[in-house]
Every structure is written in structure tokens, then in C-alpha cells.
Amino acid sequence: MTVSRHPLVPALAAVALAAGALVAAAPAGAAPPPAADASTTSDVYVAPSGDDDASGDARHPVRTLQRAQSLVRERDGNLSGDLTVHLASGTYRQSAPLTLDARDSGSNGHKVVWQGTGSTVVSGGRQVTGWHQVPGQPGLWSARAPHDLTDTRQLYVDGVRADRAAGEVPVTLTKTATGYTASSDTLARWPDIAGAEFVYTSGEALWNIQRDGLGQWTQPRCDIASASGTAITMVQPCWDNSNKRVEFPDIPGRTVSMVGPGALTNGGHATYIENARELLDTPGEWYLDRAAHTVYYMPRKGEDLHHADVEAPVLEKLVDGRGTTAAPVHDIAFRGMQFSYATWLTPSSPEGFSEIQAGYTISGATGYATEGLCGFVEGGACPFGAWTKEPGNVAVSHGRNLEFSGDAFVHLGAAGLELGDGTQDTQVRGNVFTDISGNGVEVGGVGNALPTDDADVTRGVQVTDNHLYALPREFTGGVPIVNGYTQHDLISHNQIDHVGYSGISMGWGGWPDKIGSPATPNDSHDNTVSDNLITDYMQGLDDGGGIYTQGLTGTSMADGEKVTGNVIHSQFGLGKSVYTDNGCTYETVSGNVLYGASYSNVASRHTDYRDDLGNNDPTLVSGNWWEQGDADSDNKGLVTQGNHIIASPADAPADVVAAAGLEPAYRGLLDERFGAVSVPTAPTRVGTSTGAGGTLLVTFNPVWADGGSPVTGYQVQAVDAAGHIAATTTVPAADFSASALATLTGLTDGVPYRVTVTALNAHGSSAPSLPSVALAPIAGSVLPAAPTGVKLRAQATAATVAWTPPTALGDSHVIGYRIVLTDAAGTSRTVEVAGRDALVTQPSAKGMFRVVGGLTPGTAYTVSVAAVTGSGTGPAATGKGTTPAA
């Protein structure tokens, strides 16, 4: 298996059998685990070449984790020191999960330690071998599926995730009660149409990008059950759960779940179709023909299937810790291990993936009518908001004193690590989470809002010094760290970068404030989110944040959630650095460095509906370094005080910036890579707008999985209706990051073009994106209206200029703004504003802001703001302000 770190990265510690002893060292970049007690005499040794009939000592290792487990259980359980299961380097192919219960626990304050080498791989995959070219189909190869591979959602070639065959829906669809009526019988003529999957990508409405899904933060999926003629029947209950969400009879458009719309938006338009052999047309794509028990794949440039390691995940769990309220699993550590090649098949079942938020879904035959709707509908399941959680490929419930350190969670098909209800005093430290289909780490849950037994409480979990990046890879609404109803948890010193949606999600159950009701009561308190570095987030979807919290976080400001010392920047989608969403109560946001957000660094204000006093949810926003620039105030419990405007990142305190993210002992994690270096994934959500005559402006969502080599640029190509390439340009990655735009010139006005985008790195070019909706350039002449609400929020030497985008656009869309700042002497400065926020804030008229530095204390300024479009610059709106004396 090709699963080792990138060859340019120093290898993790090796294991050597020398003088009859197995010697293991800690992974590079992670603090070494504590040494085992010298009195330990009952360690167990395991090697891929071992023999399960052997004794399991250092000279005679066993072969499987299950045999090692049975040897651990044969000990009397009365440990005098840590009992270590030494796992030699290599791959341990699991035929079943390692299932743990109380019998596998440590004792007397000592742990059972499953000790890997950093090159110890616990795999739920099967190698696919015997590849040959498919006659008459150049570029397509096939192989017999392994005997126990009946279904999977992932395939990996030399440690690189392949793309499940996907493409445009080849027909026009009209939604019906059970599915669709198609414009032709094309899909009915596909012999493998049952099991093909419609994917509904959401995000904010922007230019001519289609917004599908169930809310801007979701990407639901449902399989096709059958197709006959032009009638397409979708699987149940996924279809009903995505289209029949109950609405309040007296509140039009408001679902009882209060999260997202009642049905798939945009007329049920499917963004694309996935998982059919007919879609195999691009290198890097694969398809499993379940009926013929055959795997098909189109190799990427440089891949040799005669020698490649091709892995198909079979298992859905690798480790399954099944503690109970009365008998928890406890005192177990996993160190220096890689967990890889597990799948998750529920989205391919009739349940599908009817997403509601953060990987939670509505499930069950009547889920849309009952699940989590406690108190609002007859028969509603309690508590409110208790929807179905995404499972973890490594999972523990009711675990005590557990440890995951120096591990890697990579090439996984569900969530990476799930620490369920009743997890207490557990550490997740110094690990890497990447190439995961959904969430990274899940802590606790939301199905037990007020546990009656202390053993069911989730508390004392520390998620520290982990690197979480390039995820989610399949379920784009996933979040690197998801924390439910918990107590005394610490999420600190993690680095989260290049992710599709929010960085950290805390709490739950705050949605009832949308109808004037208080949040769901829960037992959360004393949770801290501190000193994390979160960058390049919300690269795929919208309406999220670097740190997102909703619901009650405690019982007072003293024990409510603390968000401190974090550095959060380079947001792409529409959202906020720190998002205090519905019902978020008793949160403190202090001492953070926040910049590069679309329309707010810290927000939002919500009414506290626990009484009728008209107050806001108690919140303290203090001592942050930010761009938002709000003045000090006490808005009925929402206290803003002592924050500092920064004109550039260099204005933030160096010690705060340096302290955020991985601590020095763990920074080697940033150099770890998994699998071969490959091309990036394809960009998504391509949209176009008209520029000057013969010009199209292009925007798209960038790549957050770069293939192990940084993206250097994007190639943008326009094609006319006959399929002829009409224009091509390449925009450097840094330029796109700054402007979120590419420009295609030399086109013909009045002729419609579709645009595709590919991402480039040192290894080559990605597959092309789905094409944009066709658009014809025009010679524009009507300019946009002026922005409104221009304000100057001034400090001594810097000021935040804030405004609301214009509502009337003219011929083109807003691509930027021109700010002119003039002092009383008539001296002016002009600042050009560009970036994704200039684009994405306009459709919903979200306020914008920019900081201008280098001002003179005690000086009056006039500021004007004008919108810039592809047709030109519109009229300006003005405001005034005075910088205070130094």
C-alpha cells in the first residue's frame, strides 16, 4: 500500500526487531507518549507477518488486532503498569472493526496502549488488482472487484482519492411528488440508473450560479430508485425527507425544524449526477458495477495500474468502542497509528443524505414530520433539534480517560473520529485529520440535551494541537471539529485550513428563537475554544464561520463558552469570523485576531426569549483585534468594549498571533503528507457576468484539496454552443485569492458561452469544473446605483469604512468598490476594494467594510464609496467621521 507520508518529508519513526525486542518511537511533529511503567511484563506484540497461533511476545508476534485484543483480555486486568500492544509498521487489513468494551480497559490508573510507529496502518480497504484495458474504450481500465466488495463510495490510487464518476444531468428535470419527469428517456436507457445519485450543492445566490440544496450550508444527496421512460422515481425516505419538511401553518415558509427550506430549492434542480458508468469520461474517475462485480477506472497521467496500489474501502468502522452507562470503556490509548480506508454506505441507501446542518441529517420513514421536532408537532421526537448524526469511522461512546495522540485519520468516508455521549476526560492531541468525506472530530451529541445520569454527560474532552485540513471531501457541509452538548471541553491550539465550510461548530438547539421561543435547554457549560489558527475556510459553501456557536452555552457569563486568543482569517464564502447564531447565550469573545471575513467579524445579535424583558442574548465581545470597528456599547446585554481596529495583520499583537495554532512541539505535523502527490480537485460553482464589450467576468469557488502540491493558478475557458473554444486565460492563484475574478476577452457580444475552470499545481491540471450556465456578453452602459449607509468608525490612526451594497445593479454585477477618503485640507486617498466579499454580499445586501490605516489623529474626514461593475463605476455615497486624538 502507498500510504506513507510524502517522500520529501522525514519518515515517521520506524520499528526494528533487534535482539528480540520491538522498539517504537513517536511520530515526527508530536510529543512522545509517556513511557510505559517499568514493571510491565505482559506487553503484546503484533506484526503484519505475525501468526495468530503465536504467543504474542516480542519474538513471536501475532498478526491481527483481534488476536492481540484477546491476549489483552487474558491478562488478569489488575495492571501494575501500562500494558502496551506494540504494532509494527505495515498494514493491518481488518475483516471487522476492532470492537472494544469494558473488558478492554486499563486498571489501577494504568492504560492499555495501542502503540503504532506512525507507519502502522489500520485499514478497512481491499486491494483491487488484475487491471486490464477495456477493449474499444481507450483510457478505461477494469478489474474484478474483491469478493467482499459489494459496495463502496470511495476508491484510492496510491493514496490519492479518485472521483466517483460524475457529470451534468443530461436531461431537464421537472419535480414531481415521487421524483421527476425528464425531458427525454435518456436516463431510463442507462442500465445502471438505480443507484445513480443526484447531488444538490447550495451556497449563496451569486451571479448566474444555480443555488440548489436545503440551505446555503448544505449539500444533500439522494439516489435514483428507478427510471421508466421519462418518469424518474427517487429513493424513499430521502426524497420525502428533503421535500416534505413541515412548515408552520401560520408562518409561511418557516419549517418546524427552523433550519433551511421545506423542500429542495430551485425547483428541485440537481447540480450534478454521480455514480453511473455512462458518466466515466475524465481521468481520475471510477465506477463500481455492483451487478457485474467489476471496478472501472480512468487513470490520471502518470498512473500505472499494473503497479499502483488501488484501495477500495469495505468496512464502515475501524474501531468501535461500545461503552455503556454502567460499563464504560476506559483507560485506553491509541498512539502513532493511521486509520484509513473506511467508507459509509447510508448515503447510498434509501436513507440518502438529507442534510440539515454540519453533517446531521433527517432520517427515517417519517423523519421530516417527527425527527427532532419536540414540542412543535404532535409526535415530535425529543429533544428539539436531535437529528441523525454522521457516524465516525473510528468511534467511541461512553469512554473515559481515552487518548488519541500522534495518529492520522486519513482516507475516510464518514467522520474521522466520533467521541459520542458519555465521553469524559479524553485527549485528542497531536493528530492529523485530512482527506475525510465528512466531519473531522465529533465530540458529544445533541440527542440527550439534559441527561439524567452523570455517566451520560460528555465532559473534559481536550482537542488540542491537531492539524485538520483539506476536508470535507464528499459531504461539503462537514466541519473539522463539531462539539455538541458538553461541559469543560477544551478545543485549543489546533490549525484548521483549506476547508469547505465552517472551522469549528459548537452547541446546538438555538433555532426556536426564530419564532420567539427560547433555545432548547441543555447541560453545556465551561467550554473553551482558544488559541486556534483557522484560515482559508468556507471555500465551498456559505452562511457559516470560523467558529460557529448556537444555543445555550452555560448558565451565566462566568460558565458560558469562552472564545479567546484565536486567529481567524481568509474566509471565502459569505459568513462571519465568529458566528454567534440563534439562541447563543453567555458567550465571551475576547482577545482574538479576526480579519478577512465577508461582512462581520463577530455577529449576530439575537433577542433573549427566555423572558419578556426585551433583552438580547448575554454576550461579551471585548479586546479583539478586528476590522469590524463597532463602537463600545451595551445593547441590552450584548456588550462590546475595548476592541481594536487593525489595518493589516501586522497591527495585531505578535505574541497573540504567534501563540495561535500548533504549539512548537507539534508543528512538524504541518509537513506530513499522505499518498502520492497528485493534481488538485476541480473548482466548483462557476458563475459568469458581463464586462465591457466582448468580455465575460468569471468567478468560482477555489480548490481546498490541492493534491499535496499548492495550487499555482486556475485556467479559465469559454466554449460556444458548437463546442469551440472561444477564449482561454490563466489567473495566478494569488491574484484570484485577492479578486475572486478572472476575465475572458475577445468574445462576441450576443453569443452565449459556457465557462469551465481547472486548477493547476506543479503536478498538472485538475479535471474541469462543471460548466457555468450559458451567458452572452453585452456592451454595458447602465451603471449601478450608489451604495447606502456609508459610515466611518474611527480610531486614532485607522478607521473602518462601512456601507451597504446598492440594490440596483445596471448591466453587470458588483465586482468591487472605490473608497475615497478626504481630509479637511482636501488631501485624498483612494482605496480599491476587491475580493469575494464584494461579490457575495451584494445579492443579499449584506453590509461591507474595509479598514483604512495611516490616518491622522484628531482629524475630520469625508469618505465616499462607489460600486464598480464590469460596465464601469457608479455614483458614490458619502459619510463623515473624525479620528479621536491620540
Side-chain angles (χ1 to χ4, degrees):
M1 294 175 65
T2 306
V3 295
S4 60
R5 276 61 167 172
H6 188 279
L8 296 179
V9 177
L12 295 185
V15 168
L17 281 169
L22 194 66
V23 181
D37 191 291
S39 63
T40 298
T41 59
S42 55
D43 286 359
V44 176
Y45 294 79
V46 195
S49 59
D51 183 348
D52 276 356
D53 291 327
S55 63
D57 62 24
R59 292 181 179 275
H60 308 94
V62 296
R63 184 177 59 85
T64 66
L65 275 62
Q66 283 76 9
R67 179 56 182 150
Q69 176 187 37
S70 67
L71 291 175
V72 171
R73 288 181 175 181
E74 288 173 8
R75 276 44 173 183
D76 61 12
N78 188 22
L79 300 181
S80 59
D82 288 352
L83 191 163
T84 301
V85 180
H86 300 269
L87 295 154
S89 294
T91 299
Y92 296 83
R93 293 189 183 277
Q94 298 284 88
S95 58
L98 176 63
T99 303
L100 305 173
D101 59 33
R103 295 171 293 172
D104 302 297
S105 303
S107 63
N108 300 326
H110 302 294
K111 283 185 168 70
V112 173
V113 179
W114 294 78
Q115 177 68 65
T117 69
S119 297
T120 298
V121 181
V122 179
S123 170
R126 301 293 179 267
Q127 282 188 311
V128 183
T129 59
W131 290 94
H132 59 272
Q133 296 187 55
V134 177
Q137 298 187 53
L140 184 63
W141 291 60
S142 69
R144 188 72 176 165
H147 71 91
D148 57 348
L149 177 61
T150 57
D151 200 3
T152 189
R153 293 183 63 89
Q154 296 84 30
L155 189 78
Y156 301 85
V157 180
D158 288 334
V160 177
R161 183 180 290 235
D163 300 319
R164 218 163 59 137
E168 291 185 90
V169 180
V171 293
T172 300
L173 301 172
T174 302
K175 193 169 72 168
T176 67
T178 57
Y180 297 96
T181 299
S183 57
S184 74
D185 66 350
T186 299
L187 294 180
R189 289 185 278 109
W190 291 6
D192 53 353
I193 192 60
E197 187 171 277
F198 283 151
V199 183
Y200 306 87
T201 303
S202 195
E204 287 290 336
L206 176 63
W207 293 14
N208 59 0
I209 296 173
Q210 301 270 21
R211 181 172 74 180
D212 304 320
L214 288 161
Q216 295 91 312
W217 53 91
T218 67
Q219 191 185 56
R221 295 165 174 263
C222 283
D223 276 9
I224 296 172
S226 64
S228 176
T230 59
I232 297 173
T233 302
M234 302 297 290
V235 296
Q236 294 287 12
C238 186
W239 186 248
D240 281 354
N241 287 336
S242 302
N243 287 286
K244 288 187 176 181
R245 297 182 181 178
V246 180
E247 295 185 0
F248 287 106
D250 54 343
I251 312 177
R254 174 66 72 196
T255 61
V256 178
S257 70
M258 302 174 218
V259 186
L264 291 166
T265 55
N266 198 17
H269 177 266
T271 311
Y272 61 94
I273 184 172
E274 188 173 287
N275 195 40
R277 183 176 173 180
E278 289 78 6
L279 300 167
L280 274 169
D281 59 5
T282 304
E285 288 189 325
W286 69 278
Y287 171 69
L288 171 62
D289 187 328
R290 291 174 292 178
H293 209 60
T294 299
V295 183
Y296 293 91
Y297 179 63
M298 296 189 72
R300 298 180 175 103
K301 183 180 179 180
E303 291 177 335
D304 180 358
L305 293 186
H306 291 305
H307 301 97
D309 172 37
V310 181
E311 298 284 340
V314 171
L315 295 187
E316 296 187 73
K317 285 200 184 297
L318 300 173
V319 177
D320 190 9
R322 300 179 179 177
T324 66
T325 300
V329 293
H330 60 90
D331 297 289
I332 300 174
F334 291 92
R335 300 172 181 164
M337 300 175 69
Q338 178 175 320
F339 300 101
S340 292
Y341 303 121
T343 190
W344 179 37
L345 297 178
T346 296
S348 296
S349 76
E351 286 286 359
F353 189 75
S354 183
E355 187 174 26
I356 198 157
Q357 188 171 353
Y360 278 79
T361 58
I362 292 181
S363 64
T366 60
Y368 65 91
T370 59
E371 189 174 23
L373 301 185
C374 178
F376 291 102
V377 298
E378 185 175 352
C382 295
F384 179 78
W387 297 299
T388 301
K389 184 170 65 172
E390 186 176 279
N393 292 132
V394 177
V396 181
S397 62
H398 291 92
R400 308 277 180 83
N401 299 308
L402 306 179
E403 177 193 330
F404 293 87
S405 62
D407 299 323
F409 297 81
V410 59
H411 311 324
L412 297 173
L417 173 62
E418 176 191 1
L419 301 175
D421 288 340
T423 301
Q424 299 179 3
D425 302 320
T426 289
Q427 293 187 341
V428 181
R429 181 185 67 231
N431 306 287
V432 173
F433 293 82
T434 190
D435 191 22
I436 297 169
S437 288
N439 295 326
V441 183
E442 298 177 332
V443 182
V446 299
N448 192 10
L450 292 171
T452 57
D453 192 315
D454 182 71
D456 296 326
V457 173
T458 302
R459 66 162 174 260
V461 177
Q462 297 187 2
V463 182
T464 60
D465 285 296
N466 303 284
H467 187 202
L468 306 98
Y469 70 98
L471 60 90
R473 291 296 304 274
E474 187 174 359
F475 310 112
T476 307
V479 179
I481 301 175
V482 178
N483 191 96
Y485 297 140
T486 65
Q487 303 171 8
H488 294 284
D489 283 359
L490 174 65
I491 299 174
S492 186
H493 285 292
N494 302 286
Q495 176 163 324
I496 297 171
D497 61 86
H498 296 90
V499 294
Y501 182 52
S502 296
I504 297 172
S505 181
M506 302 287 293
W508 203 251
W511 304 281
D513 88 348
K514 293 180 179 181
I515 60 166
S517 296
T520 301
N522 71 77
D523 67 332
S524 294
H525 61 81
D526 290 292
N527 292 314
T528 298
V529 184
S530 64
D531 303 297
N532 299 285
L533 174 61
I534 303 173
T535 75
D536 299 287
Y537 59 100
M538 291 179 62
Q539 304 273 292
L541 297 179
D542 293 283
D543 198 4
I547 298 171
Y548 172 94
T549 302
Q550 61 148 301
L552 299 168
T553 76
T555 63
S556 67
M557 292 304 298
D559 70 2
E561 182 181 310
K562 305 297 188 293
V563 177
T564 64
N566 303 281
V567 175
I568 305 174
H569 66 86
S570 301
Q571 178 188 110
F572 192 79
L574 186 74
K576 305 152 190 178
S577 308
V578 178
Y579 194 162
T580 58
D581 204 2
N582 295 108
C584 180
T585 305
Y586 300 128
E587 176 157 334
T588 297
V589 183
S590 294
N592 305 281
V593 176
L594 312 170
Y595 60 94
S598 61
Y599 72 100
S600 185
N601 290 136
V602 183
S604 300
R605 180 204 67 78
H606 293 283
T607 301
D608 188 348
Y609 290 106
R610 295 175 301 164
D611 54 42
D612 58 359
L613 301 178
N615 292 319
N616 293 319
D617 291 325
T619 307
L620 174 63
V621 182
S622 68
N624 300 287
W625 291 267
W626 63 356
E627 296 174 320
Q628 186 168 323
D630 289 356
D632 288 1
S633 66
D634 184 347
N635 184 6
K636 298 180 180 179
L638 171 56
V639 178
T640 303
Q641 62 186 29
N643 299 291
H644 318 278
I645 295 175
I646 57 174
S648 76
D651 293 339
D655 58 337
V656 175
V657 174
L662 300 174
E663 295 177 280
Y666 295 91
R667 289 176 185 164
L669 295 175
L670 300 178
D671 297 324
E672 293 192 10
R673 294 293 182 267
F674 301 86
V677 177
S678 184
V679 298
T681 56
T684 57
R685 304 191 76 230
V686 180
T688 53
S689 180
T690 57
T695 300
L696 281 181
L697 304 174
V698 184
T699 190
F700 50 90
N701 282 58
V703 165
W704 63 92
D706 61 15
S709 177
V711 172
T712 56
Y714 295 93
Q715 186 178 75
V716 183
Q717 191 170 84
V719 177
D720 64 19
H724 300 132
I725 298 173
T728 301
T729 190
T730 299
V731 56
D735 291 354
F736 180 76
S737 179
S739 69
L741 287 176
T743 303
L744 290 168
T745 59
L747 302 173
T748 301
D749 286 347
V751 174
Y753 300 93
R754 305 179 82 196
V755 175
T756 59
V757 184
T758 56
L760 311 174
N761 68 7
H763 202 70
S765 173
S766 75
S769 67
L770 290 172
S772 66
V773 174
L775 181 70
I778 60 172
S781 59
V782 181
L783 297 176
T788 59
V790 176
K791 296 180 176 62
L792 196 69
R793 304 166 182 164
Q795 291 184 182
T797 60
T800 297
V801 180
W803 68 92
T804 300
T807 55
L809 294 181
D811 296 317
S812 188
H813 293 95
V814 172
I815 58 174
Y817 293 88
R818 179 167 295 145
I819 299 173
V820 179
L821 202 66
T822 307
D823 63 18
T827 303
S828 296
R829 297 176 54 190
T830 299
V831 177
E832 301 290 344
V833 174
R836 181 67 161 201
D837 56 343
L839 282 55
V840 78
T841 52
Q842 195 283 323
S844 53
K846 299 291 187 183
M848 281 198 66
F849 54 85
R850 278 296 189 277
V851 175
V852 180
L855 304 184
T856 303
T859 301
Y861 288 92
T862 298
V863 61
S864 69
V865 182
V868 178
T869 72
S871 300
T873 301
T878 61
K880 295 183 177 182
T882 301
T883 56

